[in-house]
Structure formats: structure tokens, C-alpha cells
Amino acid sequence: MKRCLFLILLTALFLSVVGTGSAAASRQFHCNEQDFTIQIPENAATSFKSNTLTVYVENDGYIPYVMITRRPLDMKLSNPTNYLNNVYREHMENQYGDNMIGTNPAKKYEMGRKTLVGARYMYKVQNTKVCLLRLIEVRDDGDVEYAAKYIDGDDAATMDVLENVIRSYSTGTADDAGTDTILGGGEDIIPSKSSGSAKTGTSTSSNKNILLDSNGVTIELVSSYPFTSANFVATIRLDLLVTNKSGKKIDMTVDNAKINGVPVYGIGAFNLENGLESKKEFFLLKAETDAAIREACNPKEATFTITVKDDANYSQITSNSVTLPLNHIAAFTPYPAKEATPKPTAKPTAKPTAKPSSSSSSSRRSFYGITSMGFSDRLWANWDKKPGDLLKIRFEVLAKTRQVKSFEMVLYAVDDWGDRMYGGRTYTWVTNRQIARSVTAYSDYIEIPERSKIKTIYCGIKRVTFTEGPDEEVSDEDIEFYHWDLR
């Protein structure tokens, strides 16, 4: 017995010294591009592209791998949960389209002795299910996005690498360059090679890029470039360095803004504390009308007035008129292309039927009988305009309490006057898609005609088939419809 105990202790001591056969050796790796240090497997290959360091867990250039992105200080995430659930989710949907399987919404993760916010996205490549776990660590020296991409069901080695990376992550001085393309906020940023030379009305500085220097407030232009997204179809972004020694918290507005002489909407910066030096901020020159969008996409010159006010009582501290050359910016295409809104046809002489009631304000209620599936609280839908006046549309659904195998949806449309189209016809279609419990996914697309006449789409769930347990179905009279306005 003593001999056995001695051998057990000797074995334990040996393993504690040399490690087990499965324990992988690691090495310290410094990312020069973003100035951070991590621990990675000793023989792991790495690459740096698009502001992201990739560490390959097995083979160079192939899944599985771990990714690390350090965000510049001026691109801190104000709401990581919204970023993961909406911005990044939309990015994944756009990238993988019909191959997207679903998303596990954002939640807290405890990993590497840290608390992070993360979400998981699943998509298919041929017959293989690929998972992407994306985690965000909020830090004063620049938020960090970690990600692990792996084949579903084979994640142990990847998670070990990811956890070691998170635990060992450390930085040198904060990187606040902020001009590279980063997904944060969903904007596609096209940096310029030159910021242009500003002409100012009252600047007291010889620096040609000083937009304002008066009463303790200095605003210096760093760069100007296109800034486009669904919310900023054609916008010019002005990156700035701001010094505030006015003795007051200040707001900075952009007034009377024009691009190539056409009025645009100026967006300033607000709530800047006193005593700030070299604070990164930005202004936006946002084109909203068709004429402004055309000019913003081929910019030559911008003019505007910067007005600085006391945040406490909104009294004016100083102002300055600016003329800013933009001819260093190449012509670009708005995102998305803006189309004219169709005008409704003449109101019919016949009395229109009453507009169907909508329950979109009660999205958290269970369906009549269909308690295990429903629309996401966000009520998302994606649609495209197809040739031949067709509408292609799909809807986001949520498997609430059981794993879904397939589901049947019903849809109808109304015109500008609230009349049911297609002679009152209701379209039905079945989506065969396995959706895990608590996961959201899109239905299959359906195409319907007379797109230009459609004002509102109504959709509901008729029947759900589950991988286990009885199916659920409601009568036609009890289907709960939700609506989406297309224009």
C-alpha cells in the first residue's frame, strides 16, 4: 500500500514538472501593428489583416482560428450588446446570406478571469456548420474584440487558445490612430491620404489644418473621408483633435454646412469637458436630399460654421467660418443606392376596407397556442426588390423553448389605402430549418408580385414542427399577425 502511494505521489510530481502529454507549450507574441501582447501556442501560425490578428489553432490559413482586434480609443463601443445583437449580426447576415443559420444573442461570459459580453453566430459551408463566437472586453486603453471560429462540436482546442489569449492580453501605450477600417457601428470607412487644407475665418494659428482657435478652444483637422452606412447614405467624416481650455464644458455644432454649394446636415460633438487636450472627436457632413447625395459622392469643397457653446446655459463662446477643400477624396457610390419613393396611385372610388389590426406592439406575448416559437422582439425582416416588380422577403423568428424542425408562415399585403391586395389572398410557405432553443434565425425567402403597390406586409406563424414533442398549430382566425412598412 505504501509502495502504491509512493508511486502515485511520484507520478503527480513528475506531471507537475514536465506537464501532461496533452498540455501544449505556449509562447509570448507581440502584435506590432496594434501594440498588444498575448500568449499563443508555440507553433501557431499568425497573420495580420484588416486590423485583426489571426492565430491559427491547427493549420495555417484554415479554420479553426482565434482573432483579436484592438479598437482605437475614438471608436469605443458605447453599447457592446447592441453592437453584437444588431450591427455585427447584420454584418454576418449580409456576408453569409441564405447560408446563415442563426444567432445566440449577446450575454455575459466569464473567460480568462475576465467578464466579457459575447454572442455566437452560426452559418453553413456546404454541409458543415461553422460557429463564430465573438467577445468584447471593455478597456480604458481601447476595447478589444476577441473571436473564435470553429466547426460545430469541435471547439475544445480553439476555446483553450481563446481563453489563454484573453487571460494574457496586455498593451503598451494606447493606440488611438483611429483611421483604419473597423466594423464598429456598421460604417464602411474609406480613409483619405490627405486631409486637405482648411481656410478659416478667425483662426489665429498658422497651422493650415486648424479649423478654430479661439477663447481656449482649438479644433484641428486630422483627416476627411467618406463615411457610409444605412444611416449615413453619403456622408463626409471629419476626424479632429480638440483642445478645450475654455474653463467650461462645451458643445460644438456644425451650422450652415454645404458640400459643393449644396446644403447638407452638419453633426457636431457635445459634452466636452474642460481641460481636455488632444481629444479625438469628429464632425459629420450628412447628405440627405438627392441633390446633396450627388454632390457628397463627388466632393470638391465644404463650407460650414463651427459654433462653440457653453453646455450649461448654451451661451455662445466662439464661432468660426470654414472653407475646406475635399478634392483629395475620389468620387464614391452612396450606400445603399437611394431610390425614389413610389407615389401612390389615385385613391379608388370604392370605399376601402378597414386596415387590419396589428399586434406589433405586443411582440413579447406568446402566440395563441404557438408558445414555443415567435418573432424576435426586434421584429426584423429583410427584403429586396427584384426585376419584374417582385418583392423578395424573409422574416426573423425565435425558437423560444424547444428546438424547431420546420415552420409554416402566412403573409398578406395591403396598399396605400389599407386595402388587402391579391383579392384578399394569403400566401403560405414552409421553411425546413433546424433552430436550437433560444436561437433566432431567418425564414426562407418568399417572392410576391406587385411590389410597387405594397405599403405594408403582414406575417404570422401558422404551424411549427419540433424535433421532439407534438407539433403546434393555430386556426386561420387565431393567427397573430405582425407588420412591416416597406415605405
Side-chain angles (χ1 to χ4, degrees), residues 86-100:
N86 296 296
V87 177
Y88 201 82
R89 184 184 187 284
E90 183 176 0
H91 163 73
M92 291 291 290
E93 291 287 352
N94 291 336
Q95 182 171 354
Y96 294 103
D98 292 341
N99 289 322
M100 193 71 185

Side-chain angles (χ1 to χ4, degrees), residues 139-211:
R139 298 173 60 100
D140 292 338
D141 58 357
D143 297 344
V144 186
E145 295 183 60
Y146 306 97
K149 185 174 285 191
Y150 53 90
I151 304 301
D152 186 40
D154 186 17
D155 62 342
T158 311
M159 291 299 106
D160 286 344
V161 173
L162 176 64
E163 183 157 12
N164 199 31
V165 164
I166 293 172
R167 181 186 294 110
S168 61
Y169 179 93
S170 62
T171 64
T173 56
D175 173 13
D176 58 0
T179 57
D180 290 331
T181 302
I182 291 183
L183 182 65
E187 291 80 12
D188 299 321
I189 300 175
I190 311 170
S192 64
K193 294 182 180 179
S194 170
S195 62
S197 301
K199 296 180 181 179
T200 61
T202 59
S203 173
T204 59
S205 170
S206 60
N207 188 331
K208 62 184 179 181
N209 289 331
I210 296 294
L211 304 185

Side-chain angles (χ1 to χ4, degrees), residues 243-254:
T243 300
N244 177 21
K245 294 185 177 180
S246 65
K248 304 169 184 177
K249 181 189 289 189
I250 61 172
D251 298 331
M252 302 182 298
T253 61
V254 180

Side-chain angles (χ1 to χ4, degrees), residues 361-431:
S361 62
S362 58
S363 59
R364 290 179 175 80
R365 270 200 301 145
S366 297
F367 284 72
Y368 301 98
I370 297 185
T371 57
S372 299
M373 189 174 188
F375 286 102
S376 162
D377 288 344
R378 292 189 297 274
L379 292 175
W380 274 21
N382 277 30
W383 55 83
D384 297 311
K385 296 178 179 180
K386 307 292 289 184
D389 204 27
L390 293 175
L391 175 73
K392 180 180 178 183
I393 190 167
R394 62 178 179 172
F395 302 88
E396 184 188 64
V397 294
L398 168 67
K400 294 181 179 177
T401 60
R402 287 194 285 162
Q403 182 167 288
V404 170
K405 184 177 180 181
S406 67
F407 52 95
E408 179 181 344
M409 309 190 79
V410 295
L411 174 151
Y412 65 90
V414 301
D415 60 19
D416 288 278
W417 313 113
D419 292 324
R420 288 273 295 259
M421 297 174 60
Y422 319 121
R425 175 184 174 183
T426 298
Y427 288 87
T428 65
W429 76 108
V430 176
T431 296

